[in-house]
Amino acid sequence: MDCKVLVLGAGGLGCEILKNLTMMRVKEVHIVDMDTIELTNLNRQFLFRDEDINSPKATTAAQYINDRPSLSSRTKVIPYVQDLTNFPTEFFQQFQFIISGLDAIEPRRFVNKVLLQLTKESNYDICIPFIDGGTEGLKGHVKTIIPGFTACWECSLNTLPTQQNTYPMCTVANNPRTLEHIIEYVISVQTSADMDLEDEGQVDTLFQLCKERANQFNIDTKKLNVSYMLGIIKKIVPSVSCTNAMIAASCCNQMMKIYYDLMDFEKDGNFTMINGADGCFTYTFAYDRDPHCAVCSGI
């Protein structure tokens, strides 16, 4: 495919997306991620190995493709290790598609706003499809956004889960800023997620580890108690490899349909949901624009 694609995120979803784009023979892929690789990433982020721990995700993922002649002969990958929101607007103009595998809300809102701005200021000469994938445990979604035509990312903000309880592991491991980060690190890395939360001895061990780590990073422990800790632990949603694979496949399929002019939004819809928690089913529908959307209503 003779096009240039920007992939946002090189985590579990980003690795799957990059693999798919390479298999689709996309000519050039740029990938942005400011995180480094942790041991806990290796069970699902299959482009990384033990020796890659502490290396940047973006450059490591790009190197995996670029160092293999059978892959690099058809796809060139260019990495960026920096905050996505620091790129100037002009950076995004060079791409034909942008696919998001991010796990944070604000960067997606940023990209959505930039693409709508480009569309408006160019009088629709620039209209870059933004395909957003997201996962939460056994559930996931794909939003296909054509700036100025379909609902934008902001229009569907209220479709996000009411509890956002997953945290980027790079932050959790290297630069924790909240008690939630501390608790997730303890339960995900220092101990086993299979610990019996009904066992007072194991719960006390968890609590002491949380307190020690919070003190290590100078995080206020005033509100840290056993009840608070257990409440956070029970809300932590694990990342599931098969969900990442399904969502990434759907993202790339949407891109391919647009590229080959096979997309019919009235028929195909622009919002896909996958649910593997309550059986296994997908549902695609047309999500309408919000006439009062603060971002796209004026376009």
Side-chain angles (χ1 to χ4, degrees):
M1 299 177 69
D2 188 11
C3 61
K4 188 184 293 188
V5 180
L6 175 64
V7 176
L8 311 179
L13 191 50
C15 283
E16 290 281 357
I17 292 169
L18 181 57
K19 176 261 293 181
N20 290 346
L21 295 176
T22 303
M23 295 298 101
M24 292 163 62
R25 298 175 180 269
V26 172
K27 185 175 182 180
E28 190 172 312
V29 178
H30 295 231
I31 188 162
V32 181
D33 197 308
M34 62 186 296
D35 295 349
T36 55
I37 300 163
E38 301 295 329
L39 176 63
T40 54
N41 301 149
L42 302 185
N43 69 330
R44 62 192 182 280
Q45 299 175 22
F46 56 87
L47 299 181
F48 310 138
R49 302 291 182 267
D50 287 349
E51 57 269 25
D52 298 323
I53 291 173
N54 296 324
S55 299
K57 289 184 178 181
T59 53
T60 305
Q63 185 177 0
Y64 185 97
I65 304 298
N66 293 333
D67 284 354
R68 288 164 170 76
S70 62
L71 302 178
S72 60
S73 62
R74 59 198 188 197
T75 300
K76 179 182 180 182
V77 183
I78 299 171
Y80 303 86
V81 183
Q82 65 182 83
D83 186 342
L84 172 65
T85 61
N86 289 335
F87 283 104
T89 301
E90 295 73 24
F91 170 78
F92 298 94
Q93 292 183 216
Q94 63 183 301
F95 302 104
Q96 283 73 56
F97 295 92
I98 297 178
I99 305 179
S100 170
L102 297 171
D103 56 6
I105 294 175
E106 289 308 315
R108 289 139 101 182
R109 299 179 76 177
F110 169 79
V111 172
N112 177 69
K113 186 174 182 180
V114 166
L115 296 184
L116 283 160
Q117 178 184 337
L118 285 171
T119 300
K120 182 178 181 179
E121 292 179 351
S122 69
N123 196 26
Y124 286 83
D125 286 339
I126 299 174
C127 188
I128 305 167
F130 177 33
I131 303 170
D132 174 64
T135 64
E136 186 181 54
L138 293 168
K139 299 179 181 180
H141 74 260
V142 176
K143 302 177 182 180
T144 304
I145 299 156
I146 310 296
F149 292 96
T150 68
C152 77
W153 201 88
E154 198 81 13
C155 289
S156 61
L157 193 60
N158 62 356
T159 64
L160 295 174
T162 54
Q163 294 288 342
Q164 295 295 307
N165 298 300
T166 55
Y167 310 99
M169 187 52 71
C170 64
T171 300
V172 169
N174 299 322
N175 188 30
R177 297 185 295 273
T178 67
L179 286 174
E180 288 87 348
H181 294 161
I182 294 296
I183 294 167
E184 178 153 1
Y185 183 86
V186 169
I187 194 66
S188 300
V189 179
Q190 288 187 274
T191 63
S192 169
D194 297 326
M195 292 188 74
D196 183 1
L197 299 182
E198 302 299 323
D199 185 306
E200 291 186 8
Q202 293 190 41
V203 169
D204 185 62
T205 298
L206 285 174
F207 179 74
Q208 293 304 321
L209 288 171
C210 289
K211 194 170 183 179
E212 290 172 9
R213 185 167 174 81
N215 290 331
Q216 179 185 347
F217 286 91
N218 298 315
I219 294 174
D220 190 354
T221 60
K222 288 180 181 177
K223 67 176 182 179
L224 179 62
N225 54 51
V226 171
S227 296
Y228 178 85
M229 179 190 73
L230 292 176
I232 296 298
I233 290 173
K234 291 175 181 178
K235 293 176 182 177
I236 292 173
V237 180
S239 180
V240 180
S241 296
C242 62
T243 309
N244 289 336
M246 289 189 288
I247 293 298
S250 183
C251 287
C252 294
N253 187 52
Q254 293 292 87
M255 188 199 95
M256 187 167 61
K257 288 195 292 185
I258 296 171
Y259 180 84
Y260 288 110
D261 198 21
L262 299 174
M263 178 68 77
D264 181 346
F265 282 103
E266 290 187 8
K267 177 182 176 182
D268 298 335
N270 60 336
F271 198 129
T272 298
M273 301 181 70
I274 292 178
N275 188 340
D278 304 309
C280 186
F281 65 88
T282 64
Y283 175 52
T284 301
F285 60 98
Y287 195 96
D288 295 331
R289 293 180 67 178
D290 179 356
H292 305 294
C293 176
V295 178
C296 76
S297 60
I299 297 180

